[in-house]
Amino acid sequence: SQTIHQWPATLVQPVGSPLSLECTVEGTSNPNLYWYRQAAGRGLQLLFYSVGIGQISSEVPQNLSASRPQDRQFILSSKKLLLSDSGFYLCAWFRGIAEAFFGQGTRLTVV
Amino acid sequence: SQQGEEDPQALSIQEGENATMNCSYKTSINNLQWYRQNSGRGLVHLILIRSNEREKHSGRLRVTLDTSKKSSSLLITASRAADTASYFCATPNRDAGGTSYGKLTFGQGTILTVHP
């Protein structure tokens, strides 16, 4: 069966520090992968999506970047975090034309 | 444009009662999906209804879709305390070329609290 792993679960980082969040998928190949951000437990905002290795599409301008170095690995990064980068980050993969599967999320607090 | 606006924003009911949440969207869709999120956790897919379907059931869940009104509703019957969570509707979002790539646009969600 397919599973999605996302870590760390929580992270507290100072302003100006770098960021690297990792997401990996097991049990499937060539998945479409997504990074979402959720503010204050409300709606999700799509940040990046990737349909293959090295292919990244950005949905909104921001201080973050994404990379897909391997088929089942999706990384969210920042060189210098801002206070406004705080939030709940969710990785997801998409199966066909049906539902999306989400990781358990990373709670990022920038202080 | 904003897709998938849910109402109410918050709903508080007693165990055993039914809970109804509504979702409206703005553009044409192929399907509409409902997700559940427990506090501080990832989202879990509940049910998908296609644009040519009007109603769908899954256990205690009943979803309706009215494409003429661009709206959907999620009904949870005989609610339980364990149903306490946030519920989101989501619709596939297409890029300028008309391809979805599986991107989903989520509404702001309804926070459901079921009191024992």
Side-chain angles (χ1 to χ4, degrees):
Chain A
S1 63
Q2 301 89 354
T3 58
I4 181 167
H5 302 281
Q6 186 180 343
W7 67 92
T10 59
L11 192 59
V12 179
Q13 292 283 102
V15 169
S17 64
L19 172 73
S20 180
L21 302 181
E22 189 163 343
C23 172
T24 59
V25 181
E26 296 178 357
T28 186
S29 59
N30 197 29
N32 288 355
L33 297 172
Y34 310 84
W35 279 110
Y36 284 88
R37 177 168 59 200
Q38 185 179 33
R42 300 301 285 174
L44 280 73
Q45 179 186 38
L46 180 61
L47 302 177
F48 301 95
Y49 72 95
S50 171
V51 299
I53 295 174
Q55 300 180 61
I56 307 295
S57 296
S58 175
E59 289 292 292
V60 293
Q62 57 203 302
N63 183 44
L64 302 168
S65 62
S67 61
R68 187 160 174 185
Q70 300 179 42
D71 181 46
R72 288 171 285 181
Q73 184 184 32
F74 202 24
I75 297 173
L76 183 69
S77 305
S78 174
K79 292 182 179 178
K80 289 185 178 181
L81 283 169
L82 306 172
L83 286 174
S84 58
D85 292 323
S86 293
F88 191 52
Y89 290 85
L90 290 153
C91 179
W93 77 274
F94 189 78
R95 184 172 70 178
I97 60 171
E99 68 268 31
F101 293 87
F102 284 82
Q104 290 304 301
T106 295
R107 173 76 58 194
L108 172 66
T109 303
V110 182
V111 296
Chain B
S1 63
Q2 190 78 2
Q3 289 275 72
E5 296 292 332
E6 290 97 335
D7 77 88
Q9 291 188 354
L11 182 60
S12 181
I13 59 175
Q14 295 295 126
E15 239 181 357
E17 295 180 341
N18 295 340
T20 300
M21 290 159 271
N22 304 295
C23 167
S24 61
Y25 57 93
K26 295 184 178 179
T27 62
S28 62
I29 59 172
N30 290 331
N31 66 74
L32 185 143
Q33 304 174 32
W34 284 91
Y35 288 80
R36 166 194 168 126
Q37 183 182 34
N38 287 354
S39 180
R41 308 286 286 176
L43 277 73
V44 175
H45 180 264
L46 293 176
I47 195 166
L48 179 152
I49 186 166
R50 301 186 189 280
S51 59
N52 61 353
E53 297 176 308
R54 292 295 168 261
E55 187 171 312
K56 199 163 184 179
H57 297 257
S58 176
R60 293 184 295 112
L61 305 180
R62 172 178 168 251
V63 169
T64 63
L65 179 65
D66 187 335
T67 53
S68 66
K69 296 181 180 179
K70 291 186 168 58
S71 67
S72 173
S73 67
L74 171 68
L75 168 68
I76 303 175
T77 60
S79 63
R80 305 166 183 169
D83 294 327
T84 295
S86 293
Y87 292 83
F88 297 88
C89 67
T91 54
N93 183 29
R94 298 181 183 279
D95 64 13
T99 303
S100 171
Y101 297 112
K103 295 183 291 181
L104 293 175
T105 298
F106 288 82
Q108 293 301 302
T110 293
I111 301 172
L112 173 66
T113 303
V114 181
H115 299 282

